[in-house]
Structure formats: structure tokens, C-alpha cells
Short mmCIF file of all heavy atoms in Angstrom, two decimals:
data_model
loop_
_atom_site.label_atom_id
_atom_site.label_comp_id
_atom_site.label_asym_id
_atom_site.label_seq_id
_atom_site.Cartn_x
_atom_site.Cartn_y
_atom_site.Cartn_z
N ALA A 993 -13.25 119.72 113.97
CA ALA A 993 -13.16 119.07 115.27
C ALA A 993 -11.77 118.48 115.53
O ALA A 993 -11.37 118.33 116.68
CB ALA A 993 -14.21 117.96 115.38
N THR A 994 -11.04 118.16 114.46
CA THR A 994 -9.81 117.39 114.64
C THR A 994 -8.52 118.11 114.21
O THR A 994 -7.47 117.89 114.82
CB THR A 994 -9.89 116.06 113.88
OG1 THR A 994 -10.21 116.33 112.50
CG2 THR A 994 -10.96 115.15 114.47
N VAL A 995 -8.55 118.96 113.19
CA VAL A 995 -7.30 119.51 112.68
C VAL A 995 -7.26 121.03 112.52
O VAL A 995 -6.18 121.64 112.59
CB VAL A 995 -6.90 118.88 111.31
CG1 VAL A 995 -6.74 117.38 111.44
CG2 VAL A 995 -7.92 119.22 110.23
N PHE A 996 -8.39 121.68 112.28
CA PHE A 996 -8.35 123.10 111.94
C PHE A 996 -7.83 123.98 113.09
O PHE A 996 -7.20 125.00 112.85
CB PHE A 996 -9.74 123.59 111.50
CG PHE A 996 -10.10 123.16 110.11
CD1 PHE A 996 -11.41 123.29 109.64
CD2 PHE A 996 -9.16 122.63 109.24
CE1 PHE A 996 -11.75 122.90 108.36
CE2 PHE A 996 -9.50 122.23 107.96
CZ PHE A 996 -10.80 122.36 107.52
N ALA A 997 -8.13 123.60 114.33
CA ALA A 997 -7.66 124.42 115.46
C ALA A 997 -6.14 124.53 115.44
O ALA A 997 -5.58 125.60 115.64
CB ALA A 997 -8.14 123.82 116.78
N ALA A 998 -5.46 123.41 115.19
CA ALA A 998 -4.00 123.40 115.20
C ALA A 998 -3.41 124.00 113.93
O ALA A 998 -2.35 124.63 113.98
CB ALA A 998 -3.49 121.97 115.39
N LEU A 999 -4.08 123.83 112.80
CA LEU A 999 -3.49 124.25 111.52
C LEU A 999 -3.84 125.67 111.12
O LEU A 999 -3.07 126.31 110.39
CB LEU A 999 -3.94 123.29 110.41
CG LEU A 999 -3.54 121.82 110.59
CD1 LEU A 999 -4.02 121.00 109.40
CD2 LEU A 999 -2.04 121.67 110.76
N PHE A 1000 -5.00 126.18 111.57
CA PHE A 1000 -5.44 127.50 111.12
C PHE A 1000 -5.59 128.52 112.25
O PHE A 1000 -5.57 129.72 112.01
CB PHE A 1000 -6.78 127.38 110.37
CG PHE A 1000 -6.65 126.71 109.04
CD1 PHE A 1000 -6.75 125.33 108.92
CD2 PHE A 1000 -6.43 127.45 107.88
CE1 PHE A 1000 -6.63 124.70 107.69
CE2 PHE A 1000 -6.30 126.84 106.65
CZ PHE A 1000 -6.40 125.46 106.55
N PHE A 1001 -5.79 128.05 113.49
CA PHE A 1001 -6.08 128.98 114.60
C PHE A 1001 -5.12 128.82 115.78
O PHE A 1001 -5.41 129.28 116.88
CB PHE A 1001 -7.53 128.78 115.07
CG PHE A 1001 -8.54 128.91 113.98
CD1 PHE A 1001 -9.14 127.79 113.42
CD2 PHE A 1001 -8.90 130.16 113.49
CE1 PHE A 1001 -10.08 127.91 112.41
CE2 PHE A 1001 -9.83 130.29 112.47
CZ PHE A 1001 -10.42 129.16 111.92
N GLU A 1002 -4.00 128.18 115.59
CA GLU A 1002 -3.09 127.86 116.69
C GLU A 1002 -2.64 129.08 117.51
O GLU A 1002 -2.54 128.99 118.75
CB GLU A 1002 -1.85 127.13 116.16
CG GLU A 1002 -0.93 126.64 117.27
CD GLU A 1002 0.30 125.96 116.73
OE1 GLU A 1002 0.67 126.22 115.57
OE2 GLU A 1002 0.90 125.17 117.48
N PRO A 1003 -2.38 130.26 116.90
CA PRO A 1003 -1.93 131.40 117.71
C PRO A 1003 -2.92 131.84 118.79
O PRO A 1003 -2.54 132.58 119.71
CB PRO A 1003 -1.74 132.51 116.66
CG PRO A 1003 -1.46 131.79 115.39
CD PRO A 1003 -2.32 130.56 115.46
N MET A 1004 -4.16 131.39 118.72
CA MET A 1004 -5.16 131.78 119.72
C MET A 1004 -5.05 130.98 121.01
O MET A 1004 -5.77 131.26 121.96
CB MET A 1004 -6.57 131.61 119.13
CG MET A 1004 -6.84 132.51 117.95
SD MET A 1004 -8.51 132.26 117.28
CE MET A 1004 -8.55 133.51 116.00
N GLY A 1005 -4.20 129.96 121.02
CA GLY A 1005 -4.11 129.10 122.20
C GLY A 1005 -4.98 127.88 122.02
O GLY A 1005 -6.04 127.94 121.38
N ALA A 1006 -4.55 126.76 122.58
CA ALA A 1006 -5.19 125.47 122.29
C ALA A 1006 -6.70 125.45 122.54
O ALA A 1006 -7.48 125.07 121.67
CB ALA A 1006 -4.51 124.38 123.11
N GLU A 1007 -7.14 125.87 123.73
CA GLU A 1007 -8.56 125.77 124.06
C GLU A 1007 -9.41 126.76 123.27
O GLU A 1007 -10.46 126.40 122.73
CB GLU A 1007 -8.77 125.96 125.57
CG GLU A 1007 -8.24 124.81 126.41
CD GLU A 1007 -8.68 124.92 127.85
OE1 GLU A 1007 -9.21 125.98 128.23
OE2 GLU A 1007 -8.50 123.94 128.59
N PHE A 1008 -8.97 128.02 123.20
CA PHE A 1008 -9.75 129.01 122.47
C PHE A 1008 -9.74 128.73 120.98
O PHE A 1008 -10.74 128.96 120.29
CB PHE A 1008 -9.21 130.41 122.75
CG PHE A 1008 -10.09 131.52 122.22
CD1 PHE A 1008 -11.40 131.66 122.69
CD2 PHE A 1008 -9.63 132.39 121.26
CE1 PHE A 1008 -12.22 132.66 122.20
CE2 PHE A 1008 -10.45 133.40 120.76
CZ PHE A 1008 -11.74 133.54 121.24
N ALA A 1009 -8.63 128.20 120.46
CA ALA A 1009 -8.55 127.85 119.05
C ALA A 1009 -9.60 126.80 118.69
O ALA A 1009 -10.22 126.86 117.62
CB ALA A 1009 -7.16 127.34 118.71
N GLN A 1010 -9.84 125.84 119.61
CA GLN A 1010 -10.85 124.82 119.32
C GLN A 1010 -12.25 125.40 119.31
O GLN A 1010 -13.09 125.04 118.48
CB GLN A 1010 -10.76 123.68 120.34
CG GLN A 1010 -11.64 122.49 120.01
CD GLN A 1010 -11.34 121.91 118.65
OE1 GLN A 1010 -10.22 121.47 118.38
NE2 GLN A 1010 -12.33 121.90 117.75
N ILE A 1011 -12.52 126.33 120.24
CA ILE A 1011 -13.84 126.98 120.24
C ILE A 1011 -14.05 127.77 118.95
O ILE A 1011 -15.11 127.72 118.33
CB ILE A 1011 -13.98 127.90 121.47
CG1 ILE A 1011 -14.08 127.05 122.75
CG2 ILE A 1011 -15.22 128.79 121.35
CD1 ILE A 1011 -14.19 127.87 124.01
N VAL A 1012 -13.02 128.49 118.51
CA VAL A 1012 -13.12 129.26 117.26
C VAL A 1012 -13.29 128.33 116.07
O VAL A 1012 -14.04 128.62 115.14
CB VAL A 1012 -11.88 130.17 117.08
CG1 VAL A 1012 -11.91 130.85 115.71
CG2 VAL A 1012 -11.82 131.21 118.17
N SER A 1013 -12.59 127.19 116.10
CA SER A 1013 -12.73 126.22 115.02
C SER A 1013 -14.17 125.73 114.91
O SER A 1013 -14.74 125.65 113.82
CB SER A 1013 -11.79 125.04 115.26
OG SER A 1013 -11.82 124.13 114.19
N PHE A 1014 -14.79 125.43 116.07
CA PHE A 1014 -16.20 125.04 116.06
C PHE A 1014 -17.09 126.22 115.65
O PHE A 1014 -18.14 126.04 115.02
CB PHE A 1014 -16.63 124.53 117.44
CG PHE A 1014 -16.28 123.09 117.69
CD1 PHE A 1014 -15.67 122.69 118.87
CD2 PHE A 1014 -16.56 122.12 116.74
CE1 PHE A 1014 -15.36 121.37 119.11
CE2 PHE A 1014 -16.25 120.78 116.97
CZ PHE A 1014 -15.64 120.42 118.15
N PHE A 1015 -16.67 127.44 115.99
CA PHE A 1015 -17.43 128.62 115.59
C PHE A 1015 -17.51 128.73 114.07
O PHE A 1015 -18.55 129.12 113.52
CB PHE A 1015 -16.79 129.88 116.16
CG PHE A 1015 -17.45 131.16 115.72
CD1 PHE A 1015 -18.64 131.57 116.29
CD2 PHE A 1015 -16.89 131.94 114.71
CE1 PHE A 1015 -19.26 132.74 115.87
CE2 PHE A 1015 -17.51 133.11 114.29
CZ PHE A 1015 -18.69 133.51 114.87
N THR A 1016 -16.43 128.36 113.36
CA THR A 1016 -16.48 128.43 111.89
C THR A 1016 -17.49 127.44 111.31
O THR A 1016 -18.02 127.66 110.23
CB THR A 1016 -15.09 128.17 111.27
OG1 THR A 1016 -14.69 126.81 111.49
CG2 THR A 1016 -14.05 129.11 111.84
N VAL A 1017 -17.73 126.34 112.04
CA VAL A 1017 -18.80 125.42 111.61
C VAL A 1017 -20.13 126.15 111.66
O VAL A 1017 -20.95 126.07 110.74
CB VAL A 1017 -18.85 124.17 112.52
CG1 VAL A 1017 -20.02 123.27 112.13
CG2 VAL A 1017 -17.54 123.39 112.43
N GLY A 1018 -20.35 126.92 112.74
CA GLY A 1018 -21.61 127.64 112.91
C GLY A 1018 -21.75 128.85 112.01
O GLY A 1018 -22.87 129.23 111.66
N VAL A 1019 -20.61 129.46 111.60
CA VAL A 1019 -20.68 130.65 110.75
C VAL A 1019 -21.47 130.38 109.48
O VAL A 1019 -22.26 131.21 109.02
CB VAL A 1019 -19.25 131.13 110.39
CG1 VAL A 1019 -19.26 132.03 109.17
CG2 VAL A 1019 -18.65 131.89 111.56
N SER A 1020 -21.28 129.21 108.91
CA SER A 1020 -21.98 128.90 107.66
C SER A 1020 -23.49 128.94 107.84
O SER A 1020 -24.23 129.27 106.91
CB SER A 1020 -21.56 127.53 107.14
OG SER A 1020 -22.09 126.51 107.94
N PHE A 1021 -23.97 128.60 109.04
CA PHE A 1021 -25.41 128.60 109.31
C PHE A 1021 -25.98 130.02 109.22
O PHE A 1021 -27.15 130.20 108.85
CB PHE A 1021 -25.70 128.01 110.68
CG PHE A 1021 -25.52 126.52 110.77
CD1 PHE A 1021 -24.26 125.97 110.85
CD2 PHE A 1021 -26.61 125.67 110.77
CE1 PHE A 1021 -24.08 124.59 110.94
CE2 PHE A 1021 -26.46 124.31 110.86
CZ PHE A 1021 -25.18 123.76 110.94
N LEU A 1022 -25.16 130.99 109.60
CA LEU A 1022 -25.64 132.37 109.56
C LEU A 1022 -25.93 132.81 108.13
O LEU A 1022 -26.72 133.73 107.91
CB LEU A 1022 -24.61 133.30 110.19
CG LEU A 1022 -24.27 133.05 111.66
CD1 LEU A 1022 -23.21 134.03 112.15
CD2 LEU A 1022 -25.53 133.15 112.52
N PHE A 1023 -25.30 132.15 107.17
CA PHE A 1023 -25.50 132.50 105.76
C PHE A 1023 -26.49 131.56 105.06
O PHE A 1023 -26.80 131.76 103.89
CB PHE A 1023 -24.16 132.51 105.03
CG PHE A 1023 -23.29 133.66 105.43
CD1 PHE A 1023 -22.46 133.57 106.54
CD2 PHE A 1023 -23.34 134.86 104.73
CE1 PHE A 1023 -21.68 134.65 106.93
CE2 PHE A 1023 -22.56 135.95 105.12
CZ PHE A 1023 -21.73 135.84 106.22
N ARG A 1024 -26.98 130.56 105.79
CA ARG A 1024 -28.01 129.70 105.20
C ARG A 1024 -29.27 130.48 104.83
O ARG A 1024 -29.86 130.24 103.78
CB ARG A 1024 -28.36 128.57 106.17
CG ARG A 1024 -27.40 127.41 106.14
CD ARG A 1024 -28.01 126.22 106.85
NE ARG A 1024 -27.06 125.14 107.02
CZ ARG A 1024 -27.40 123.96 107.53
NH1 ARG A 1024 -28.65 123.74 107.91
NH2 ARG A 1024 -26.50 123.02 107.66
N PRO A 1025 -29.73 131.43 105.70
CA PRO A 1025 -30.92 132.19 105.29
C PRO A 1025 -30.71 132.94 103.98
O PRO A 1025 -31.64 133.05 103.18
CB PRO A 1025 -31.14 133.15 106.46
CG PRO A 1025 -30.54 132.46 107.63
CD PRO A 1025 -29.34 131.74 107.09
N LEU A 1026 -29.50 133.47 103.73
CA LEU A 1026 -29.23 134.14 102.47
C LEU A 1026 -29.40 133.16 101.31
O LEU A 1026 -30.05 133.47 100.30
CB LEU A 1026 -27.83 134.74 102.47
CG LEU A 1026 -27.37 135.40 101.15
CD1 LEU A 1026 -28.31 136.54 100.77
CD2 LEU A 1026 -25.93 135.88 101.27
N GLY A 1027 -28.82 131.97 101.47
CA GLY A 1027 -28.99 130.95 100.43
C GLY A 1027 -30.45 130.56 100.27
O GLY A 1027 -30.93 130.34 99.16
N ALA A 1028 -31.16 130.46 101.41
CA ALA A 1028 -32.58 130.10 101.37
C ALA A 1028 -33.41 131.19 100.69
O ALA A 1028 -34.31 130.90 99.90
CB ALA A 1028 -33.08 129.84 102.78
N PHE A 1029 -33.11 132.46 100.99
CA PHE A 1029 -33.84 133.57 100.38
C PHE A 1029 -33.61 133.57 98.86
O PHE A 1029 -34.56 133.70 98.08
CB PHE A 1029 -33.37 134.90 100.97
CG PHE A 1029 -34.11 135.32 102.20
CD1 PHE A 1029 -33.81 134.74 103.43
CD2 PHE A 1029 -35.12 136.27 102.16
CE1 PHE A 1029 -34.49 135.11 104.58
CE2 PHE A 1029 -35.81 136.64 103.31
CZ PHE A 1029 -35.49 136.06 104.52
N LEU A 1030 -32.35 133.44 98.46
CA LEU A 1030 -32.03 133.47 97.03
C LEU A 1030 -32.62 132.27 96.30
O LEU A 1030 -33.28 132.42 95.26
CB LEU A 1030 -30.52 133.52 96.83
CG LEU A 1030 -29.81 134.80 97.30
CD1 LEU A 1030 -28.30 134.63 97.20
CD2 LEU A 1030 -30.28 136.00 96.48
N ALA A 1031 -32.37 131.08 96.84
CA ALA A 1031 -32.88 129.87 96.19
C ALA A 1031 -34.40 129.81 96.26
O ALA A 1031 -35.06 129.36 95.31
CB ALA A 1031 -32.27 128.63 96.84
N GLY A 1032 -34.97 130.26 97.39
CA GLY A 1032 -36.42 130.27 97.51
C GLY A 1032 -37.06 131.20 96.50
O GLY A 1032 -38.04 130.86 95.84
N HIS A 1033 -36.49 132.41 96.38
CA HIS A 1033 -37.04 133.38 95.43
C HIS A 1033 -36.97 132.85 94.00
O HIS A 1033 -37.98 132.81 93.28
CB HIS A 1033 -36.26 134.70 95.53
CG HIS A 1033 -36.68 135.71 94.50
ND1 HIS A 1033 -37.82 136.48 94.63
CD2 HIS A 1033 -36.12 136.07 93.31
CE1 HIS A 1033 -37.94 137.27 93.57
NE2 HIS A 1033 -36.92 137.04 92.76
N PHE A 1034 -35.77 132.41 93.59
CA PHE A 1034 -35.62 131.96 92.21
C PHE A 1034 -36.23 130.57 91.99
O PHE A 1034 -36.66 130.25 90.89
CB PHE A 1034 -34.13 131.96 91.83
CG PHE A 1034 -33.57 133.35 91.68
CD1 PHE A 1034 -32.70 133.85 92.63
CD2 PHE A 1034 -33.94 134.16 90.62
CE1 PHE A 1034 -32.19 135.14 92.52
CE2 PHE A 1034 -33.45 135.45 90.50
CZ PHE A 1034 -32.57 135.95 91.45
N GLY A 1035 -36.28 129.76 93.06
CA GLY A 1035 -36.93 128.46 92.94
C GLY A 1035 -38.42 128.59 92.73
O GLY A 1035 -39.03 127.78 92.01
N ASP A 1036 -39.04 129.61 93.33
CA ASP A 1036 -40.46 129.86 93.11
C ASP A 1036 -40.70 130.64 91.82
O ASP A 1036 -41.84 130.72 91.35
CB ASP A 1036 -41.05 130.62 94.30
CG ASP A 1036 -41.29 129.73 95.52
OD1 ASP A 1036 -41.59 128.54 95.32
OD2 ASP A 1036 -41.16 130.23 96.65
N ARG A 1037 -39.63 131.25 91.28
CA ARG A 1037 -39.77 132.06 90.06
C ARG A 1037 -39.35 131.31 88.80
O ARG A 1037 -40.05 131.36 87.78
CB ARG A 1037 -38.92 133.34 90.19
CG ARG A 1037 -39.38 134.31 91.27
CD ARG A 1037 -40.64 135.06 90.86
NE ARG A 1037 -40.41 135.89 89.70
CZ ARG A 1037 -41.38 136.35 88.89
NH1 ARG A 1037 -42.64 136.04 89.15
NH2 ARG A 1037 -41.10 137.12 87.86
N ILE A 1038 -38.19 130.62 88.84
CA ILE A 1038 -37.69 129.99 87.61
C ILE A 1038 -37.65 128.47 87.69
O ILE A 1038 -37.35 127.81 86.70
CB ILE A 1038 -36.29 130.52 87.22
CG1 ILE A 1038 -35.25 130.12 88.27
CG2 ILE A 1038 -36.32 132.03 87.04
CD1 ILE A 1038 -33.83 130.49 87.89
#
């Protein structure tokens, strides 16, 4: 919310860089089901 847009995504332009920065927050959620599947499977098994 405060620094990644300027430090990692600046070439995209100020406003779009901030949207992309927030998008990276959401990207991790897309992989939560993978973590849930793996942990759920092994948590119920081991």
C-alpha cells in the first residue's frame, strides 16, 4: 500500500503501479487453495 508501487512497479505509471501492487496482495490468495489442499491432505493423513 505504501512503497512497492514506487520501488517495484514504477515503470507502469503511478496509478496503474498502485493497482498492480494491490494485485500482488491478492495473488497470494489464489495459491491459498493449493496450500489448503496440501496441508489438508497431509494434516488429515500425518
Side-chain angles (χ1 to χ4, degrees):
T994 54
V995 301
F996 284 168
L999 299 181
F1000 290 88
F1001 305 103
E1002 186 181 23
M1004 297 179 176
E1007 290 190 349
F1008 189 61
Q1010 187 57 60
I1011 290 179
V1012 174
S1013 184
F1014 278 133
F1015 176 78
T1016 67
V1017 176
V1019 161
S1020 71
F1021 288 77
L1022 299 179
F1023 289 86
R1024 279 194 188 185
L1026 176 59
F1029 272 78
L1030 293 173
H1033 175 79
F1034 289 108
D1036 283 328
R1037 294 285 297 160
I1038 66 174

